[in-house]
Amino acid sequence: MKKYTLLTLLLVVTCTSILYWQYDYTPFYPVKHVGEEYVVDNIEKQSHPFNENLIKVLDYYNVDFKLCNGVVHVKNQLYANKALMYNYTQKAKDEMWFNDHHFAYYKQN
């Protein structure tokens, strides 16, 4: 009986951990496309203009996010899709995309 209780407890803890990871938020760092790979650029702190542009992009696509201390956070499960994060990064840096969608664009350094 102890064996089944321990197994059940382990299963519950594992499922809870997975669900927590999927629905927890992580800071959004820009993603670059280098060769065949998508690489997270987490070296520099994100600028205010980038975050303002990113918020507009995420709002446009109805992406759930949080703003914590001026930094955009998205769900871990979403951020795991690096190709999609690259797409959002490119749009946040693309003045033409903002003009086409009638949004104000904040120039970045």
Side-chain angles (χ1 to χ4, degrees):
M1 194 62 162
K2 274 186 163 182
K3 189 177 187 181
Y4 293 114
T5 305
L6 185 60
L7 208 54
T8 303
L9 182 62
L10 182 61
L11 181 62
V12 168
V13 168
T14 302
C15 289
T16 303
S17 297
I18 290 170
L19 288 173
Y20 177 78
W21 179 86
Q22 287 182 335
Y23 294 103
D24 194 26
Y25 289 81
T26 189
F28 186 105
Y29 291 103
V31 176
K32 299 180 193 176
H33 192 242
V34 180
E36 298 288 320
E37 297 180 5
Y38 294 101
V39 180
V40 175
D41 183 11
N42 61 356
I43 305 292
E44 297 180 27
K45 184 180 177 196
Q46 294 313 304
S47 68
H48 177 72
F50 177 81
N51 281 326
E52 290 297 318
N53 292 342
L54 181 61
I55 288 169
K56 290 177 184 176
V57 171
L58 296 176
D59 274 340
Y60 180 80
Y61 289 106
N62 296 317
V63 174
D64 184 26
F65 68 91
K66 290 183 180 181
L67 196 58
C68 300
N69 297 323
V71 177
V72 176
H73 289 65
V74 295
K75 289 187 177 176
N76 284 329
Q77 183 178 20
L78 180 69
Y79 197 70
N81 184 342
K82 297 302 183 229
L84 182 59
M85 297 306 101
Y86 172 75
N87 187 319
Y88 292 154
T89 298
Q90 292 307 110
K91 284 183 170 74
K93 295 179 176 183
D94 185 0
E95 189 171 0
M96 293 285 291
W97 186 87
F98 280 81
N99 288 337
D100 290 346
H101 294 84
H102 308 289
F103 293 128
Y105 175 77
Y106 293 97
K107 292 214 182 274
Q108 300 171 39
N109 301 337

Short mmCIF file of all heavy atoms in Angstrom, two decimals, residues 43-78:
data_model
loop_
_atom_site.label_atom_id
_atom_site.label_comp_id
_atom_site.label_asym_id
_atom_site.label_seq_id
_atom_site.Cartn_x
_atom_site.Cartn_y
_atom_site.Cartn_z
N ILE A 43 21.83 39.15 -22.77
CA ILE A 43 23.01 39.84 -22.26
C ILE A 43 22.64 41.22 -21.71
O ILE A 43 23.02 41.59 -20.61
CB ILE A 43 24.07 40.01 -23.38
CG1 ILE A 43 24.43 38.67 -24.02
CG2 ILE A 43 25.30 40.71 -22.82
CD1 ILE A 43 25.18 37.72 -23.13
N GLU A 44 21.90 41.98 -22.49
CA GLU A 44 21.58 43.35 -22.11
C GLU A 44 20.18 43.45 -21.53
O GLU A 44 19.29 42.70 -21.89
CB GLU A 44 21.64 44.27 -23.34
CG GLU A 44 23.00 44.37 -23.97
CD GLU A 44 22.98 45.29 -25.18
OE1 GLU A 44 22.12 46.19 -25.25
OE2 GLU A 44 23.81 45.09 -26.05
N LYS A 45 20.00 44.41 -20.63
CA LYS A 45 18.67 44.71 -20.12
C LYS A 45 17.87 45.35 -21.26
O LYS A 45 18.40 46.14 -22.03
CB LYS A 45 18.76 45.66 -18.94
CG LYS A 45 17.43 45.94 -18.32
CD LYS A 45 17.56 46.88 -17.15
CE LYS A 45 16.16 47.17 -16.64
NZ LYS A 45 16.10 48.30 -15.78
N GLN A 46 16.61 44.99 -21.36
CA GLN A 46 15.79 45.51 -22.44
C GLN A 46 15.50 46.99 -22.26
O GLN A 46 15.23 47.45 -21.16
CB GLN A 46 14.49 44.72 -22.55
CG GLN A 46 14.72 43.30 -22.95
CD GLN A 46 15.66 43.19 -24.12
OE1 GLN A 46 15.43 43.77 -25.17
NE2 GLN A 46 16.75 42.48 -23.95
N SER A 47 15.54 47.71 -23.36
CA SER A 47 15.28 49.14 -23.33
C SER A 47 13.78 49.40 -23.18
O SER A 47 12.94 48.57 -23.53
CB SER A 47 15.80 49.81 -24.60
OG SER A 47 15.03 49.39 -25.71
N HIS A 48 13.48 50.58 -22.68
CA HIS A 48 12.08 50.98 -22.54
C HIS A 48 11.38 51.01 -23.91
O HIS A 48 10.26 50.49 -24.03
CB HIS A 48 11.99 52.34 -21.85
CG HIS A 48 10.61 52.86 -21.72
ND1 HIS A 48 9.68 52.32 -20.85
CD2 HIS A 48 9.96 53.85 -22.39
CE1 HIS A 48 8.54 52.97 -20.98
NE2 HIS A 48 8.68 53.90 -21.91
N PRO A 49 12.00 51.58 -24.96
CA PRO A 49 11.32 51.57 -26.27
C PRO A 49 11.03 50.16 -26.78
O PRO A 49 9.96 49.92 -27.33
CB PRO A 49 12.31 52.30 -27.20
CG PRO A 49 13.10 53.17 -26.29
CD PRO A 49 13.22 52.39 -25.01
N PHE A 50 11.98 49.23 -26.60
CA PHE A 50 11.73 47.86 -27.05
C PHE A 50 10.53 47.26 -26.32
O PHE A 50 9.66 46.66 -26.93
CB PHE A 50 12.96 46.97 -26.85
CG PHE A 50 12.71 45.53 -27.23
CD1 PHE A 50 12.76 45.14 -28.55
CD2 PHE A 50 12.39 44.58 -26.26
CE1 PHE A 50 12.51 43.82 -28.91
CE2 PHE A 50 12.14 43.27 -26.61
CZ PHE A 50 12.20 42.88 -27.93
N ASN A 51 10.49 47.44 -25.00
CA ASN A 51 9.38 46.89 -24.22
C ASN A 51 8.05 47.52 -24.61
O ASN A 51 7.04 46.83 -24.70
CB ASN A 51 9.63 47.06 -22.72
CG ASN A 51 10.58 46.03 -22.17
OD1 ASN A 51 10.61 44.90 -22.62
ND2 ASN A 51 11.38 46.42 -21.20
N GLU A 52 8.03 48.82 -24.86
CA GLU A 52 6.79 49.48 -25.31
C GLU A 52 6.32 48.92 -26.64
O GLU A 52 5.14 48.68 -26.84
CB GLU A 52 7.00 51.00 -25.40
CG GLU A 52 7.15 51.68 -24.07
CD GLU A 52 5.92 51.56 -23.19
OE1 GLU A 52 4.79 51.69 -23.70
OE2 GLU A 52 6.08 51.32 -21.98
N ASN A 53 7.26 48.73 -27.57
CA ASN A 53 6.90 48.15 -28.88
C ASN A 53 6.44 46.71 -28.73
O ASN A 53 5.47 46.29 -29.35
CB ASN A 53 8.10 48.23 -29.83
CG ASN A 53 8.44 49.64 -30.23
OD1 ASN A 53 7.63 50.56 -30.09
ND2 ASN A 53 9.65 49.84 -30.70
N LEU A 54 7.14 45.95 -27.89
CA LEU A 54 6.79 44.55 -27.68
C LEU A 54 5.39 44.42 -27.10
O LEU A 54 4.62 43.54 -27.51
CB LEU A 54 7.82 43.88 -26.77
CG LEU A 54 7.60 42.41 -26.47
CD1 LEU A 54 7.64 41.58 -27.75
CD2 LEU A 54 8.64 41.91 -25.48
N ILE A 55 5.04 45.28 -26.17
CA ILE A 55 3.69 45.26 -25.59
C ILE A 55 2.63 45.42 -26.67
O ILE A 55 1.62 44.71 -26.68
CB ILE A 55 3.56 46.34 -24.50
CG1 ILE A 55 4.36 45.94 -23.26
CG2 ILE A 55 2.10 46.60 -24.14
CD1 ILE A 55 4.53 47.04 -22.24
N LYS A 56 2.87 46.32 -27.60
CA LYS A 56 1.91 46.53 -28.70
C LYS A 56 1.80 45.30 -29.59
O LYS A 56 0.71 44.93 -30.03
CB LYS A 56 2.30 47.76 -29.51
CG LYS A 56 2.10 49.04 -28.73
CD LYS A 56 2.56 50.22 -29.53
CE LYS A 56 2.43 51.48 -28.67
NZ LYS A 56 2.93 52.65 -29.35
N VAL A 57 2.94 44.68 -29.87
CA VAL A 57 2.94 43.46 -30.69
C VAL A 57 2.17 42.35 -29.98
O VAL A 57 1.31 41.69 -30.58
CB VAL A 57 4.39 43.01 -31.02
CG1 VAL A 57 4.39 41.64 -31.68
CG2 VAL A 57 5.08 44.04 -31.91
N LEU A 58 2.46 42.14 -28.71
CA LEU A 58 1.79 41.07 -27.96
C LEU A 58 0.29 41.35 -27.82
O LEU A 58 -0.52 40.43 -27.94
CB LEU A 58 2.44 40.90 -26.58
CG LEU A 58 3.90 40.45 -26.59
CD1 LEU A 58 4.47 40.43 -25.18
CD2 LEU A 58 4.07 39.11 -27.27
N ASP A 59 -0.07 42.61 -27.60
CA ASP A 59 -1.49 42.97 -27.55
C ASP A 59 -2.17 42.66 -28.88
O ASP A 59 -3.28 42.14 -28.92
CB ASP A 59 -1.67 44.45 -27.23
CG ASP A 59 -1.68 44.74 -25.74
OD1 ASP A 59 -1.91 43.82 -24.95
OD2 ASP A 59 -1.45 45.91 -25.38
N TYR A 60 -1.50 43.00 -29.97
CA TYR A 60 -2.07 42.78 -31.31
C TYR A 60 -2.39 41.30 -31.53
O TYR A 60 -3.41 40.96 -32.11
CB TYR A 60 -1.10 43.28 -32.38
CG TYR A 60 -1.62 43.10 -33.78
CD1 TYR A 60 -2.53 44.00 -34.32
CD2 TYR A 60 -1.22 42.02 -34.56
CE1 TYR A 60 -3.03 43.83 -35.61
CE2 TYR A 60 -1.70 41.84 -35.84
CZ TYR A 60 -2.61 42.75 -36.36
OH TYR A 60 -3.10 42.58 -37.63
N TYR A 61 -1.51 40.43 -31.04
CA TYR A 61 -1.70 38.99 -31.21
C TYR A 61 -2.41 38.33 -30.04
O TYR A 61 -2.46 37.10 -29.94
CB TYR A 61 -0.35 38.30 -31.47
CG TYR A 61 0.19 38.63 -32.84
CD1 TYR A 61 1.25 39.51 -33.00
CD2 TYR A 61 -0.37 38.07 -33.97
CE1 TYR A 61 1.74 39.83 -34.26
CE2 TYR A 61 0.10 38.38 -35.24
CZ TYR A 61 1.15 39.26 -35.37
OH TYR A 61 1.63 39.57 -36.62
N ASN A 62 -2.96 39.14 -29.14
CA ASN A 62 -3.70 38.63 -27.96
C ASN A 62 -2.88 37.65 -27.13
O ASN A 62 -3.38 36.61 -26.68
CB ASN A 62 -5.02 37.98 -28.39
CG ASN A 62 -5.95 38.96 -29.01
OD1 ASN A 62 -6.10 40.08 -28.53
ND2 ASN A 62 -6.57 38.57 -30.11
N VAL A 63 -1.62 37.99 -26.92
CA VAL A 63 -0.73 37.15 -26.11
C VAL A 63 -0.81 37.62 -24.66
O VAL A 63 -0.70 38.81 -24.37
CB VAL A 63 0.73 37.26 -26.62
CG1 VAL A 63 1.68 36.51 -25.70
CG2 VAL A 63 0.83 36.75 -28.04
N ASP A 64 -1.01 36.67 -23.76
CA ASP A 64 -1.06 36.96 -22.34
C ASP A 64 0.34 37.29 -21.85
O ASP A 64 1.28 36.52 -22.09
CB ASP A 64 -1.62 35.75 -21.60
CG ASP A 64 -1.81 36.01 -20.12
OD1 ASP A 64 -2.00 37.18 -19.74
OD2 ASP A 64 -1.77 35.03 -19.35
N PHE A 65 0.51 38.43 -21.19
CA PHE A 65 1.81 38.80 -20.65
C PHE A 65 1.60 39.61 -19.37
O PHE A 65 0.50 40.06 -19.08
CB PHE A 65 2.62 39.61 -21.66
CG PHE A 65 2.06 40.97 -21.96
CD1 PHE A 65 2.46 42.09 -21.23
CD2 PHE A 65 1.12 41.16 -22.97
CE1 PHE A 65 1.95 43.34 -21.49
CE2 PHE A 65 0.60 42.41 -23.24
CZ PHE A 65 1.01 43.50 -22.50
N LYS A 66 2.69 39.77 -18.64
CA LYS A 66 2.70 40.61 -17.44
C LYS A 66 3.84 41.59 -17.58
O LYS A 66 4.85 41.29 -18.21
CB LYS A 66 2.92 39.77 -16.18
CG LYS A 66 1.78 38.88 -15.80
CD LYS A 66 2.09 38.16 -14.51
CE LYS A 66 0.95 37.24 -14.11
NZ LYS A 66 1.21 36.55 -12.85
N LEU A 67 3.69 42.74 -16.95
CA LEU A 67 4.75 43.73 -16.90
C LEU A 67 5.22 43.81 -15.46
O LEU A 67 4.46 44.17 -14.57
CB LEU A 67 4.21 45.08 -17.38
CG LEU A 67 5.22 46.14 -17.75
CD1 LEU A 67 6.15 45.65 -18.84
CD2 LEU A 67 4.51 47.39 -18.22
N CYS A 68 6.46 43.42 -15.21
CA CYS A 68 7.03 43.41 -13.86
C CYS A 68 8.28 44.29 -13.85
O CYS A 68 9.26 43.98 -14.54
CB CYS A 68 7.40 42.00 -13.44
SG CYS A 68 6.02 40.86 -13.42
N ASN A 69 8.22 45.37 -13.09
CA ASN A 69 9.34 46.31 -13.00
C ASN A 69 9.80 46.79 -14.38
O ASN A 69 10.99 46.90 -14.64
CB ASN A 69 10.52 45.69 -12.24
CG ASN A 69 10.16 45.36 -10.82
OD1 ASN A 69 9.42 46.09 -10.17
ND2 ASN A 69 10.66 44.25 -10.33
N GLY A 70 8.85 47.02 -15.26
CA GLY A 70 9.16 47.54 -16.59
C GLY A 70 9.63 46.49 -17.58
O GLY A 70 9.98 46.82 -18.71
N VAL A 71 9.64 45.22 -17.19
CA VAL A 71 10.09 44.14 -18.07
C VAL A 71 8.89 43.27 -18.43
O VAL A 71 8.12 42.86 -17.56
CB VAL A 71 11.18 43.29 -17.39
CG1 VAL A 71 11.59 42.12 -18.28
CG2 VAL A 71 12.38 44.15 -17.04
N VAL A 72 8.75 42.98 -19.70
CA VAL A 72 7.65 42.14 -20.19
C VAL A 72 7.96 40.68 -19.84
O VAL A 72 9.07 40.20 -20.05
CB VAL A 72 7.48 42.30 -21.72
CG1 VAL A 72 6.43 41.35 -22.25
CG2 VAL A 72 7.15 43.74 -22.07
N HIS A 73 6.96 39.98 -19.31
CA HIS A 73 7.06 38.55 -19.00
C HIS A 73 5.96 37.82 -19.76
O HIS A 73 4.81 38.28 -19.80
CB HIS A 73 6.87 38.29 -17.50
CG HIS A 73 8.00 38.74 -16.66
ND1 HIS A 73 8.37 40.06 -16.51
CD2 HIS A 73 8.86 38.04 -15.90
CE1 HIS A 73 9.40 40.14 -15.70
NE2 HIS A 73 9.72 38.92 -15.30
N VAL A 74 6.30 36.69 -20.36
CA VAL A 74 5.33 35.84 -21.05
C VAL A 74 5.37 34.46 -20.42
O VAL A 74 6.30 34.13 -19.69
CB VAL A 74 5.60 35.75 -22.57
CG1 VAL A 74 5.42 37.09 -23.25
CG2 VAL A 74 6.98 35.18 -22.85
N LYS A 75 4.39 33.65 -20.71
CA LYS A 75 4.32 32.31 -20.13
C LYS A 75 5.47 31.44 -20.65
O LYS A 75 5.86 31.53 -21.82
CB LYS A 75 2.99 31.64 -20.45
CG LYS A 75 1.85 32.29 -19.68
CD LYS A 75 0.56 31.55 -19.86
CE LYS A 75 -0.51 32.23 -19.01
NZ LYS A 75 -1.81 31.64 -19.18
N ASN A 76 6.01 30.62 -19.77
CA ASN A 76 7.12 29.72 -20.12
C ASN A 76 6.80 28.88 -21.34
O ASN A 76 7.64 28.71 -22.22
CB ASN A 76 7.44 28.79 -18.96
CG ASN A 76 8.20 29.46 -17.86
OD1 ASN A 76 8.97 30.38 -18.08
ND2 ASN A 76 7.99 29.00 -16.64
N GLN A 77 5.60 28.33 -21.37
CA GLN A 77 5.21 27.45 -22.46
C GLN A 77 5.28 28.19 -23.80
O GLN A 77 5.75 27.64 -24.79
CB GLN A 77 3.79 26.93 -22.23
CG GLN A 77 3.32 25.95 -23.27
CD GLN A 77 1.93 25.43 -22.96
OE1 GLN A 77 1.19 26.03 -22.21
NE2 GLN A 77 1.57 24.32 -23.55
N LEU A 78 4.85 29.44 -23.82
CA LEU A 78 4.91 30.24 -25.05
C LEU A 78 6.35 30.59 -25.38
O LEU A 78 6.77 30.48 -26.54
CB LEU A 78 4.09 31.52 -24.88
CG LEU A 78 4.07 32.45 -26.08
CD1 LEU A 78 3.29 31.81 -27.23
CD2 LEU A 78 3.45 33.78 -25.71
#
